[in-house]
Amino acid sequence: MKKHLYITSILTAVFVVALSLTPQPAKSIDFGKLGDALKKGTKIVKAMSISYPAEREIGRAAAAQISSKFGIVNDPGLNQYVRLVGNAVAAYSDRPATEFCFAVLDSDDINAYAAPGGYIFITKGALKACKSEAELAGVLAHEIAHVTERHYVKSVQKFLIAQALVEITMEKLTKDFKLFNNLVEQITMNIITKGLSRKDEYESDQKGTEFATRVGYNPYGVRDFLQTLRKYSGVKGDKRSMFATHPALDKRVERVEKLIKKEKWDNPVRPTLTERYVSGTKFLKTK
Amino acid sequence: MKKRNKTTAVLLVLVVAICGTVLAKSVYVSIKTARLRSGTSAFDKDVAKVKLGDKLSVKGTSERWIKVKTSDNKEGWIYDRQVSEKKPKDMDAFASKKGKVKFGGGGSHDASAAARGLSSGKYAKKNGYNISAVAAMENAKIDDDLLNQFLREGGLGEYEGGSK
Protein backbone atom coordinates (compact mmCIF):
# COMPACT_ATOMS: atom_id res chain seq x y z
CA MET A 1 0.00 0.00 0.00
CA LYS A 2 2.81 2.33 1.03
CA LYS A 3 4.65 1.51 -2.16
CA HIS A 4 1.62 2.41 -4.27
CA LEU A 5 1.23 5.66 -2.40
CA TYR A 6 4.91 6.42 -2.96
CA ILE A 7 4.73 5.74 -6.71
CA THR A 8 1.46 7.63 -7.07
CA SER A 9 2.96 10.65 -5.28
CA ILE A 10 6.03 10.66 -7.50
CA LEU A 11 3.96 10.27 -10.67
CA THR A 12 1.70 13.13 -9.58
CA ALA A 13 4.79 15.25 -8.99
CA VAL A 14 6.09 14.33 -12.44
CA PHE A 15 2.91 15.53 -14.12
CA VAL A 16 2.66 18.68 -12.01
CA VAL A 17 6.25 19.58 -12.87
CA ALA A 18 5.70 18.72 -16.55
CA LEU A 19 2.56 20.81 -16.68
CA SER A 20 4.22 23.78 -15.05
CA LEU A 21 7.12 23.58 -17.48
CA THR A 22 4.92 23.39 -20.55
CA PRO A 23 5.13 26.73 -22.36
CA GLN A 24 1.59 28.05 -22.58
CA PRO A 25 0.43 28.52 -26.14
CA ALA A 26 0.59 32.13 -27.21
CA LYS A 27 -2.71 33.97 -27.15
CA SER A 28 -2.50 34.70 -30.83
CA ILE A 29 -2.43 31.01 -31.63
CA ASP A 30 -5.95 30.85 -30.25
CA PHE A 31 -7.02 32.85 -33.28
CA GLY A 32 -6.51 29.63 -35.21
CA LYS A 33 -9.42 27.91 -33.45
CA LEU A 34 -11.86 29.99 -35.39
CA GLY A 35 -10.08 29.18 -38.62
CA ASP A 36 -10.17 25.46 -37.91
CA ALA A 37 -13.88 25.58 -37.30
CA LEU A 38 -14.49 27.56 -40.46
CA LYS A 39 -12.30 25.27 -42.55
CA LYS A 40 -14.77 22.43 -41.98
CA GLY A 41 -16.86 24.06 -44.64
CA THR A 42 -14.29 23.15 -47.26
CA LYS A 43 -15.06 19.45 -47.02
CA ILE A 44 -17.69 19.59 -49.73
CA VAL A 45 -15.09 20.39 -52.32
CA LYS A 46 -12.35 18.08 -51.17
CA ALA A 47 -12.71 16.00 -54.31
CA MET A 48 -11.49 18.88 -56.47
CA SER A 49 -8.13 20.49 -56.53
CA ILE A 50 -6.54 23.53 -58.06
CA SER A 51 -2.93 24.54 -57.83
CA TYR A 52 -1.89 27.88 -56.36
CA PRO A 53 -0.09 28.96 -59.56
CA ALA A 54 -3.27 28.20 -61.55
CA GLU A 55 -5.30 30.18 -59.03
CA ARG A 56 -2.91 33.11 -59.39
CA GLU A 57 -3.06 33.00 -63.17
CA ILE A 58 -6.87 33.04 -63.17
CA GLY A 59 -6.83 35.89 -60.65
CA ARG A 60 -4.38 37.85 -62.77
CA ALA A 61 -6.76 37.74 -65.75
CA ALA A 62 -9.72 38.69 -63.53
CA ALA A 63 -7.66 41.58 -62.15
CA ALA A 64 -6.99 42.78 -65.71
CA GLN A 65 -10.73 42.88 -66.36
CA ILE A 66 -11.51 44.68 -63.06
CA SER A 67 -8.78 47.29 -63.47
CA SER A 68 -9.82 47.93 -67.08
CA LYS A 69 -13.49 48.24 -66.20
CA PHE A 70 -12.96 50.87 -63.51
CA GLY A 71 -9.50 52.29 -64.12
CA ILE A 72 -6.80 52.77 -61.46
CA VAL A 73 -6.47 56.02 -59.51
CA ASN A 74 -3.25 57.62 -60.60
CA ASP A 75 -1.92 58.88 -57.30
CA PRO A 76 1.27 57.16 -56.08
CA GLY A 77 0.84 58.39 -52.49
CA LEU A 78 -2.70 57.07 -52.13
CA ASN A 79 -1.89 53.72 -53.71
CA GLN A 80 1.22 53.39 -51.54
CA TYR A 81 -0.77 54.08 -48.37
CA VAL A 82 -3.37 51.43 -49.29
CA ARG A 83 -0.53 49.02 -50.13
CA LEU A 84 1.07 49.58 -46.72
CA VAL A 85 -2.17 48.91 -44.84
CA GLY A 86 -2.93 45.93 -47.08
CA ASN A 87 0.55 44.44 -46.71
CA ALA A 88 0.38 44.82 -42.93
CA VAL A 89 -2.88 42.85 -42.83
CA ALA A 90 -1.74 40.28 -45.40
CA ALA A 91 1.45 39.65 -43.41
CA TYR A 92 -0.65 38.56 -40.43
CA SER A 93 -3.22 36.63 -42.49
CA ASP A 94 -3.52 32.88 -42.94
CA ARG A 95 -1.65 33.00 -46.27
CA PRO A 96 1.47 35.01 -45.46
CA ALA A 97 3.40 33.42 -48.34
CA THR A 98 1.01 34.82 -50.94
CA GLU A 99 2.17 37.96 -52.77
CA PHE A 100 -0.85 40.18 -52.25
CA CYS A 101 -1.07 43.34 -54.33
CA PHE A 102 -3.37 46.32 -54.00
CA ALA A 103 -4.77 49.16 -56.08
CA VAL A 104 -7.38 51.92 -55.81
CA LEU A 105 -10.12 51.82 -58.44
CA ASP A 106 -11.31 55.05 -59.98
CA SER A 107 -14.95 54.59 -59.03
CA ASP A 108 -17.30 56.41 -56.68
CA ASP A 109 -19.09 53.17 -55.82
CA ILE A 110 -18.53 52.08 -52.27
CA ASN A 111 -16.97 48.72 -52.92
CA ALA A 112 -13.94 46.47 -52.78
CA TYR A 113 -12.99 43.37 -54.75
CA ALA A 114 -10.70 40.38 -54.39
CA ALA A 115 -9.50 38.24 -57.26
CA PRO A 116 -8.01 34.78 -56.64
CA GLY A 117 -4.32 34.60 -55.92
CA GLY A 118 -4.13 37.90 -54.00
CA TYR A 119 -5.29 40.80 -56.22
CA ILE A 120 -7.17 43.28 -54.00
CA PHE A 121 -9.00 46.42 -55.12
CA ILE A 122 -10.79 49.14 -53.21
CA THR A 123 -12.75 51.95 -54.82
CA LYS A 124 -12.16 55.64 -54.34
CA GLY A 125 -15.76 55.81 -53.06
CA ALA A 126 -15.05 53.27 -50.34
CA LEU A 127 -11.95 55.21 -49.26
CA LYS A 128 -14.02 58.38 -49.04
CA ALA A 129 -16.60 56.56 -46.92
CA CYS A 130 -14.05 55.09 -44.47
CA LYS A 131 -13.23 57.15 -41.41
CA SER A 132 -10.09 55.52 -40.07
CA GLU A 133 -7.16 53.29 -40.94
CA ALA A 134 -8.71 50.54 -38.83
CA GLU A 135 -11.81 50.69 -41.03
CA LEU A 136 -9.69 50.56 -44.18
CA ALA A 137 -7.76 47.64 -42.69
CA GLY A 138 -11.10 45.95 -42.00
CA VAL A 139 -12.27 46.29 -45.62
CA LEU A 140 -8.94 45.03 -46.99
CA ALA A 141 -8.85 42.23 -44.43
CA HIS A 142 -12.34 41.13 -45.51
CA GLU A 143 -11.15 40.93 -49.11
CA ILE A 144 -7.90 39.21 -48.12
CA ALA A 145 -10.01 36.60 -46.32
CA HIS A 146 -11.85 35.84 -49.59
CA VAL A 147 -8.42 34.93 -50.98
CA THR A 148 -7.13 33.01 -47.96
CA GLU A 149 -10.35 30.97 -47.89
CA ARG A 150 -10.31 30.62 -51.70
CA HIS A 151 -13.96 31.63 -51.95
CA TYR A 152 -13.96 32.61 -55.62
CA VAL A 153 -12.05 29.52 -56.63
CA LYS A 154 -14.63 27.42 -54.79
CA SER A 155 -17.43 29.41 -56.39
CA VAL A 156 -16.79 27.65 -59.71
CA GLN A 157 -16.95 24.16 -58.28
CA LYS A 158 -20.28 23.37 -59.99
CA PHE A 159 -18.82 24.37 -63.32
CA LEU A 160 -15.76 22.19 -62.73
CA ILE A 161 -17.85 19.22 -61.61
CA ALA A 162 -20.12 19.61 -64.66
CA GLN A 163 -17.03 19.49 -66.84
CA ALA A 164 -15.80 16.44 -64.92
CA LEU A 165 -12.71 18.41 -63.99
CA VAL A 166 -11.26 17.54 -60.66
CA GLU A 167 -7.84 18.99 -61.06
CA ILE A 168 -6.77 22.34 -62.49
CA THR A 169 -3.09 22.91 -63.09
CA MET A 170 -1.11 25.58 -64.88
CA GLU A 171 -0.24 23.04 -67.52
CA LYS A 172 -3.91 22.32 -68.17
CA LEU A 173 -4.79 26.01 -68.32
CA THR A 174 -1.92 26.80 -70.66
CA LYS A 175 -3.00 24.03 -73.04
CA ASP A 176 -6.73 24.73 -72.87
CA PHE A 177 -7.39 28.46 -73.33
CA LYS A 178 -11.15 27.92 -73.67
CA LEU A 179 -11.23 26.39 -70.19
CA PHE A 180 -9.11 29.25 -68.84
CA ASN A 181 -11.37 31.82 -70.49
CA ASN A 182 -14.53 30.20 -69.08
CA LEU A 183 -13.12 30.03 -65.57
CA VAL A 184 -12.03 33.68 -65.63
CA GLU A 185 -15.40 34.82 -66.99
CA GLN A 186 -17.32 32.90 -64.34
CA ILE A 187 -15.13 34.05 -61.50
CA THR A 188 -15.14 37.69 -62.62
CA MET A 189 -18.93 37.61 -62.88
CA ASN A 190 -19.07 36.30 -59.31
CA ILE A 191 -16.67 39.04 -58.17
CA ILE A 192 -18.35 41.99 -59.87
CA THR A 193 -22.04 41.16 -60.12
CA LYS A 194 -23.24 37.92 -58.58
CA GLY A 195 -21.35 37.99 -55.31
CA LEU A 196 -20.61 35.10 -52.99
CA SER A 197 -22.78 33.02 -50.71
CA ARG A 198 -23.97 34.41 -47.40
CA LYS A 199 -21.80 31.86 -45.65
CA ASP A 200 -18.67 33.05 -47.46
CA GLU A 201 -19.41 36.69 -46.63
CA TYR A 202 -19.90 35.86 -42.96
CA GLU A 203 -16.68 33.90 -43.01
CA SER A 204 -14.77 36.82 -44.53
CA ASP A 205 -16.24 39.23 -41.98
CA GLN A 206 -15.00 36.98 -39.21
CA LYS A 207 -11.62 36.13 -40.68
CA GLY A 208 -11.11 39.74 -41.73
CA THR A 209 -11.79 40.94 -38.21
CA GLU A 210 -9.37 38.33 -36.94
CA PHE A 211 -6.58 39.34 -39.37
CA ALA A 212 -6.93 43.08 -38.63
CA THR A 213 -6.90 42.37 -34.91
CA ARG A 214 -3.76 40.26 -35.26
CA VAL A 215 -1.95 43.24 -36.77
CA GLY A 216 -3.04 45.31 -33.80
CA TYR A 217 -5.82 47.42 -35.32
CA ASN A 218 -8.96 48.22 -33.45
CA PRO A 219 -11.12 45.13 -34.10
CA TYR A 220 -14.21 47.12 -35.05
CA GLY A 221 -12.91 48.07 -38.52
CA VAL A 222 -14.99 45.49 -40.41
CA ARG A 223 -18.02 46.30 -38.23
CA ASP A 224 -17.60 50.04 -38.83
CA PHE A 225 -17.44 49.56 -42.58
CA LEU A 226 -20.55 47.38 -42.53
CA GLN A 227 -22.29 50.19 -40.67
CA THR A 228 -21.04 52.64 -43.27
CA LEU A 229 -22.54 50.42 -45.97
CA ARG A 230 -25.79 50.26 -44.03
CA LYS A 231 -25.86 54.04 -43.92
CA TYR A 232 -25.57 54.20 -47.69
CA SER A 233 -27.86 51.25 -48.33
CA GLY A 234 -30.86 53.55 -48.23
CA VAL A 235 -29.79 55.04 -51.55
CA LYS A 236 -32.43 53.88 -54.00
CA GLY A 237 -31.48 52.13 -57.19
CA ASP A 238 -27.86 51.66 -56.26
CA LYS A 239 -27.13 48.17 -57.48
CA ARG A 240 -23.46 48.55 -58.06
CA SER A 241 -22.32 48.93 -54.50
CA MET A 242 -21.16 46.29 -52.10
CA PHE A 243 -24.53 46.04 -50.37
CA ALA A 244 -26.18 44.97 -53.60
CA THR A 245 -24.35 41.65 -53.48
CA HIS A 246 -23.78 41.20 -49.75
CA PRO A 247 -26.17 39.57 -47.25
CA ALA A 248 -28.17 41.44 -44.62
CA LEU A 249 -25.93 44.04 -43.02
CA ASP A 250 -27.64 44.05 -39.62
CA LYS A 251 -27.01 40.37 -39.21
CA ARG A 252 -23.39 40.77 -40.24
CA VAL A 253 -22.80 43.62 -37.81
CA GLU A 254 -24.34 41.56 -35.04
CA ARG A 255 -22.18 38.54 -35.82
CA VAL A 256 -18.94 40.53 -35.91
CA GLU A 257 -19.73 42.25 -32.61
CA LYS A 258 -20.54 38.92 -31.02
CA LEU A 259 -17.24 37.45 -32.20
CA ILE A 260 -15.21 40.40 -30.86
CA LYS A 261 -16.86 40.13 -27.47
CA LYS A 262 -16.46 36.36 -27.37
CA GLU A 263 -12.76 36.50 -28.25
CA LYS A 264 -12.20 39.58 -26.07
CA TRP A 265 -10.44 41.33 -28.97
CA ASP A 266 -11.64 44.71 -27.71
CA ASN A 267 -9.42 44.47 -24.65
CA PRO A 268 -6.98 46.20 -24.55
CA VAL A 269 -8.27 49.07 -26.66
CA ARG A 270 -6.38 49.13 -29.97
CA PRO A 271 -5.77 52.10 -32.27
CA THR A 272 -8.03 53.28 -35.10
CA LEU A 273 -5.27 55.56 -36.50
CA THR A 274 -7.76 58.14 -37.72
CA GLU A 275 -5.21 60.94 -38.13
CA ARG A 276 -2.89 58.81 -40.21
CA TYR A 277 -5.88 57.84 -42.38
CA VAL A 278 -6.75 61.48 -43.03
CA SER A 279 -3.15 62.16 -43.96
CA GLY A 280 -2.80 59.02 -46.11
CA THR A 281 -5.95 59.76 -48.12
CA LYS A 282 -5.59 63.54 -48.45
CA PHE A 283 -5.49 63.14 -52.25
CA LEU A 284 -9.21 62.30 -52.15
CA LYS A 285 -10.12 65.70 -50.74
CA THR A 286 -9.05 67.32 -53.95
CA LYS A 287 -11.23 64.99 -56.04
CA MET B 1 15.49 -0.38 0.04
CA LYS B 2 17.47 -1.19 -3.09
CA LYS B 3 14.23 -1.76 -4.97
CA ARG B 4 12.91 1.64 -3.82
CA ASN B 5 16.10 3.37 -5.03
CA LYS B 6 15.74 1.66 -8.39
CA THR B 7 12.12 2.81 -8.68
CA THR B 8 13.13 6.36 -7.75
CA ALA B 9 15.82 6.36 -10.41
CA VAL B 10 13.39 5.13 -13.07
CA LEU B 11 10.86 7.78 -12.10
CA LEU B 12 13.50 10.51 -12.16
CA VAL B 13 14.45 9.46 -15.68
CA LEU B 14 10.76 9.66 -16.53
CA VAL B 15 10.56 13.20 -15.08
CA VAL B 16 13.52 14.32 -17.17
CA ALA B 17 12.12 12.68 -20.31
CA ILE B 18 8.65 14.20 -19.91
CA CYS B 19 10.02 17.65 -19.10
CA GLY B 20 12.36 17.43 -22.06
CA THR B 21 9.51 16.47 -24.35
CA VAL B 22 7.20 19.28 -23.28
CA LEU B 23 9.97 21.83 -23.52
CA ALA B 24 10.77 20.68 -27.04
CA LYS B 25 7.49 22.18 -28.26
CA SER B 26 7.93 23.92 -31.60
CA VAL B 27 6.28 26.75 -33.50
CA TYR B 28 6.62 28.02 -37.08
CA VAL B 29 7.33 31.56 -38.18
CA SER B 30 4.05 32.74 -39.75
CA ILE B 31 5.22 36.04 -41.24
CA LYS B 32 7.62 36.62 -44.15
CA THR B 33 10.44 37.85 -41.94
CA ALA B 34 10.63 38.45 -38.21
CA ARG B 35 13.25 39.56 -35.76
CA LEU B 36 14.27 37.73 -32.62
CA ARG B 37 14.85 40.24 -29.84
CA SER B 38 17.11 40.14 -26.81
CA GLY B 39 14.11 40.94 -24.58
CA THR B 40 10.33 41.07 -24.52
CA SER B 41 9.91 44.28 -26.47
CA ALA B 42 10.13 45.27 -30.13
CA PHE B 43 12.59 47.94 -29.03
CA ASP B 44 15.08 45.43 -27.64
CA LYS B 45 18.15 44.57 -29.68
CA ASP B 46 17.81 42.28 -32.73
CA VAL B 47 19.60 38.99 -32.16
CA ALA B 48 18.58 37.16 -35.32
CA LYS B 49 16.28 37.26 -38.32
CA VAL B 50 13.96 34.38 -39.07
CA LYS B 51 11.78 33.74 -42.09
CA LEU B 52 8.41 32.30 -42.95
CA GLY B 53 8.13 28.60 -42.17
CA ASP B 54 11.25 28.42 -39.97
CA LYS B 55 10.77 25.97 -37.13
CA LEU B 56 11.63 27.34 -33.69
CA SER B 57 11.92 25.51 -30.36
CA VAL B 58 9.94 27.14 -27.59
CA LYS B 59 11.87 27.86 -24.41
CA GLY B 60 9.38 29.95 -22.51
CA THR B 61 6.76 32.69 -22.69
CA SER B 62 6.17 36.12 -21.23
CA GLU B 63 2.87 37.81 -22.00
CA ARG B 64 2.82 38.36 -25.79
CA TRP B 65 6.40 37.18 -26.32
CA ILE B 66 7.84 33.70 -26.73
CA LYS B 67 11.43 32.75 -26.06
CA VAL B 68 12.63 30.58 -28.91
CA LYS B 69 15.72 28.87 -30.26
CA THR B 70 16.52 28.60 -33.97
CA SER B 71 17.92 25.49 -35.66
CA ASP B 72 21.37 27.14 -35.56
CA ASN B 73 21.05 27.65 -31.79
CA LYS B 74 20.32 31.36 -31.71
CA GLU B 75 18.03 32.30 -28.87
CA GLY B 76 15.73 35.29 -28.60
CA TRP B 77 12.19 36.53 -28.07
CA ILE B 78 9.57 36.67 -30.81
CA TYR B 79 6.19 38.40 -30.83
CA ASP B 80 3.58 35.68 -30.42
CA ARG B 81 1.48 36.73 -33.42
CA GLN B 82 4.43 36.07 -35.68
CA VAL B 83 4.34 32.34 -35.02
CA SER B 84 1.79 29.57 -35.32
CA GLU B 85 1.57 26.00 -34.16
CA LYS B 86 0.87 24.80 -37.69
CA LYS B 87 3.05 25.31 -40.72
CA PRO B 88 1.67 28.33 -42.64
CA LYS B 89 -0.71 27.67 -45.54
CA ASP B 90 0.68 27.48 -49.07
CA MET B 91 4.27 27.25 -47.82
CA ASP B 92 4.57 24.08 -49.88
CA ALA B 93 3.81 26.15 -52.98
CA PHE B 94 7.17 27.77 -52.48
CA ALA B 95 9.07 24.74 -51.35
CA SER B 96 7.94 21.92 -53.59
CA LYS B 97 8.23 21.57 -57.33
CA LYS B 98 5.48 19.14 -58.15
CA GLY B 99 2.12 17.92 -57.03
CA LYS B 100 -1.20 19.65 -56.58
CA VAL B 101 -3.19 21.14 -53.80
CA LYS B 102 -6.61 20.45 -52.44
CA PHE B 103 -8.86 23.31 -51.45
CA GLY B 104 -8.05 24.49 -47.99
CA GLY B 105 -4.90 22.45 -47.81
CA GLY B 106 -1.29 23.12 -48.63
CA GLY B 107 -0.09 23.99 -52.10
CA SER B 108 2.57 23.26 -54.60
CA HIS B 109 4.01 24.23 -57.93
CA ASP B 110 2.67 22.34 -60.88
CA ALA B 111 4.32 24.04 -63.80
CA SER B 112 7.35 25.98 -64.77
CA ALA B 113 7.52 29.68 -64.06
CA ALA B 114 7.67 30.24 -67.80
CA ALA B 115 3.98 29.41 -68.11
CA ARG B 116 3.02 32.20 -65.75
CA GLY B 117 1.40 35.20 -67.32
CA LEU B 118 0.86 33.48 -70.67
CA SER B 119 -2.83 32.68 -70.32
CA SER B 120 -3.71 35.89 -68.47
CA GLY B 121 -1.79 37.93 -71.06
CA LYS B 122 -3.61 36.17 -73.88
CA TYR B 123 -6.96 36.67 -72.16
CA ALA B 124 -6.32 40.40 -71.63
CA LYS B 125 -5.19 40.88 -75.22
CA LYS B 126 -8.20 39.04 -76.62
CA ASN B 127 -10.63 41.16 -74.61
CA GLY B 128 -8.79 44.46 -74.81
CA TYR B 129 -8.01 44.58 -71.08
CA ASN B 130 -5.03 46.39 -69.67
CA ILE B 131 -2.64 43.78 -68.31
CA SER B 132 0.04 46.40 -67.69
CA ALA B 133 -2.07 47.83 -64.84
CA VAL B 134 -1.91 44.42 -63.17
CA ALA B 135 1.82 44.17 -63.81
CA ALA B 136 2.23 47.58 -62.14
CA MET B 137 0.30 46.29 -59.10
CA GLU B 138 2.58 43.25 -58.93
CA ASN B 139 5.73 45.30 -59.23
CA ALA B 140 4.80 47.83 -56.56
CA LYS B 141 6.24 45.84 -53.68
CA ILE B 142 6.61 46.99 -50.10
CA ASP B 143 9.97 46.03 -48.63
CA ASP B 144 10.29 44.69 -45.10
CA ASP B 145 12.00 47.77 -43.69
CA LEU B 146 9.30 50.11 -44.97
CA LEU B 147 6.54 47.88 -43.63
CA ASN B 148 8.35 47.63 -40.30
CA GLN B 149 8.59 51.42 -40.10
CA PHE B 150 4.88 51.75 -40.93
CA LEU B 151 3.98 49.27 -38.17
CA ARG B 152 6.27 50.99 -35.68
CA GLU B 153 4.83 54.43 -36.36
CA GLY B 154 1.30 53.08 -35.94
CA GLY B 155 2.05 51.07 -32.81
CA LEU B 156 1.01 47.93 -34.71
CA GLY B 157 2.33 44.38 -34.91
CA GLU B 158 5.12 43.76 -32.44
CA TYR B 159 5.09 47.51 -31.63
CA GLU B 160 1.64 47.14 -30.14
CA GLY B 161 1.21 49.33 -27.09
CA GLY B 162 3.03 52.40 -28.31
CA SER B 163 6.42 53.56 -29.41
CA LYS B 164 9.55 54.40 -27.51
Side-chain angles (χ1 to χ4, degrees):
Chain A
M1 189 66 186
K2 261 188 178 180
K3 189 179 169 188
H4 280 153
L5 190 65
Y6 169 70
I7 292 174
T8 308
S9 306
I10 296 229
L11 280 174
T12 306
V14 166
F15 288 112
V16 168
V17 170
L19 198 65
S20 67
L21 286 174
T22 305
Q24 293 303 305
K27 284 179 187 171
S28 67
I29 293 167
D30 291 342
F31 281 102
K33 284 181 188 169
L34 170 71
D36 289 340
L38 295 173
K39 272 178 216 157
K40 286 175 187 168
T42 62
K43 282 180 182 171
I44 53 165
V45 289
K46 66 182 178 184
M48 294 196 311
S49 71
I50 187 163
S51 73
Y52 284 119
E55 177 191 342
R56 179 85 172 177
E57 190 65 14
I58 292 166
R60 192 170 195 267
Q65 187 176 157
I66 294 166
S67 57
S68 297
K69 180 179 165 67
F70 297 101
I72 304 288
V73 171
N74 186 24
D75 182 73
L78 182 67
N79 278 296
Q80 179 76 342
Y81 177 63
V82 169
R83 266 196 295 276
L84 280 163
V85 177
N87 272 274
V89 176
Y92 284 84
S93 76
D94 286 346
R95 269 178 72 174
T98 299
E99 292 287 342
F100 282 88
C101 40
F102 303 84
V104 180
L105 294 176
D106 196 3
S107 164
D108 287 322
D109 293 349
I110 301 171
N111 218 333
Y113 304 99
Y119 298 89
I120 309 292
F121 298 93
I122 184 164
T123 62
K124 202 171 64 183
L127 288 173
K128 282 180 181 170
C130 284
K131 296 169 292 298
S132 69
E133 190 172 302
E135 198 173 336
L136 168 61
V139 181
L140 298 177
H142 173 98
E143 298 305 323
I144 287 167
H146 282 317
V147 176
T148 64
E149 302 310 306
R150 312 187 91 192
H151 286 152
Y152 287 109
V153 172
K154 289 174 200 167
S155 75
V156 290
Q157 59 174 305
K158 280 183 188 166
F159 168 78
L160 292 174
I161 289 168
Q163 305 275 313
L165 291 167
V166 291
E167 195 175 81
I168 300 295
T169 62
M170 274 286 274
E171 194 182 2
K172 192 171 273 184
L173 291 180
T174 308
K175 282 181 183 164
D176 187 349
F177 182 72
K178 194 179 167 195
L179 169 66
F180 180 79
N181 190 76
N182 285 342
L183 282 171
V184 174
E185 288 295 312
Q186 291 226 8
I187 285 177
T188 312
M189 187 173 68
N190 290 343
I191 294 170
I192 299 176
T193 50
K194 271 183 77 178
L196 289 163
S197 70
R198 186 166 293 201
K199 178 182 152 288
D200 288 347
E201 292 299 344
Y202 286 145
E203 189 174 46
S204 278
D205 287 343
Q206 298 192 336
K207 292 297 273 184
T209 299
E210 182 186 342
F211 297 161
T213 307
R214 273 186 206 165
V215 189
Y217 283 110
N218 187 291
Y220 288 103
V222 170
R223 191 277 313 262
D224 290 350
F225 189 70
L226 291 171
Q227 288 180 333
T228 300
L229 287 178
R230 190 167 56 184
K231 189 177 135 193
Y232 286 92
S233 67
V235 181
K236 277 187 179 177
D238 194 336
K239 293 190 174 171
R240 294 169 303 167
S241 299
M242 213 167 186
F243 36 84
T245 51
H246 286 211
L249 294 167
D250 286 341
K251 193 84 183 165
R252 290 172 64 184
V253 166
E254 190 187 313
R255 283 188 178 218
V256 170
E257 286 180 341
K258 207 171 164 184
L259 175 73
I260 293 168
K261 294 287 177 204
K262 186 186 160 210
E263 299 293 336
K264 298 186 175 69
W265 289 339
D266 53 351
N267 184 27
V269 175
R270 294 184 170 90
T272 56
L273 299 174
T274 306
E275 280 178 29
R276 187 158 82 171
Y277 184 75
V278 172
S279 167
T281 58
K282 62 185 176 211
F283 167 81
L284 295 170
K285 284 187 178 167
T286 63
K287 297 289 148 189
Chain B
M1 191 63 187
K2 265 187 180 178
K3 198 176 177 186
R4 175 171 272 205
N5 283 344
K6 199 175 171 186
T7 310
T8 305
V10 168
L11 288 171
L12 279 174
V13 167
L14 196 63
V15 170
V16 171
I18 290 177
C19 294
T21 304
V22 295
L23 282 178
K25 180 181 162 61
S26 297
V27 289
Y28 294 92
V29 177
S30 62
I31 191 165
K32 277 181 186 160
T33 56
R35 294 162 171 82
L36 300 191
R37 310 283 183 178
S38 59
T40 57
S41 151
F43 301 95
D44 282 311
K45 197 181 153 194
D46 286 9
V47 291
K49 262 193 178 181
V50 286
K51 63 178 192 312
L52 186 66
D54 282 355
K55 195 174 178 181
L56 307 170
S57 307
V58 175
K59 298 290 168 192
T61 60
S62 174
E63 295 186 356
R64 299 219 67 93
W65 292 80
I66 303 174
K67 192 174 191 184
V68 292
K69 192 176 189 178
T70 63
S71 57
D72 56 350
N73 293 321
K74 285 176 184 162
E75 272 193 24
W77 293 87
I78 190 166
Y79 183 58
D80 70 355
R81 287 178 181 164
Q82 296 177 336
V83 296
S84 61
E85 286 176 324
K86 289 179 185 170
K87 205 168 183 182
K89 256 189 208 176
D90 83 0
M91 269 304 295
D92 293 344
F94 295 82
S96 168
K97 290 190 177 167
K98 59 180 181 178
K100 292 112 205 160
V101 57
K102 282 181 179 171
F103 286 137
S108 59
H109 278 292
D110 63 6
S112 70
R116 288 186 205 162
L118 288 181
S119 302
S120 55
K122 190 175 170 185
Y123 173 84
K125 195 175 176 186
K126 178 184 162 240
N127 294 290
Y129 298 137
N130 183 10
I131 198 74
S132 61
V134 181
M137 278 176 82
E138 292 167 335
N139 292 332
K141 295 190 190 306
I142 299 287
D143 71 48
D144 289 341
D145 289 341
L146 186 60
L147 185 61
N148 194 47
Q149 185 190 335
F150 183 76
L151 293 170
R152 191 174 59 234
E153 287 169 358
L156 300 170
E158 60 183 323
Y159 301 97
E160 186 179 22
S163 54
K164 273 187 187 175

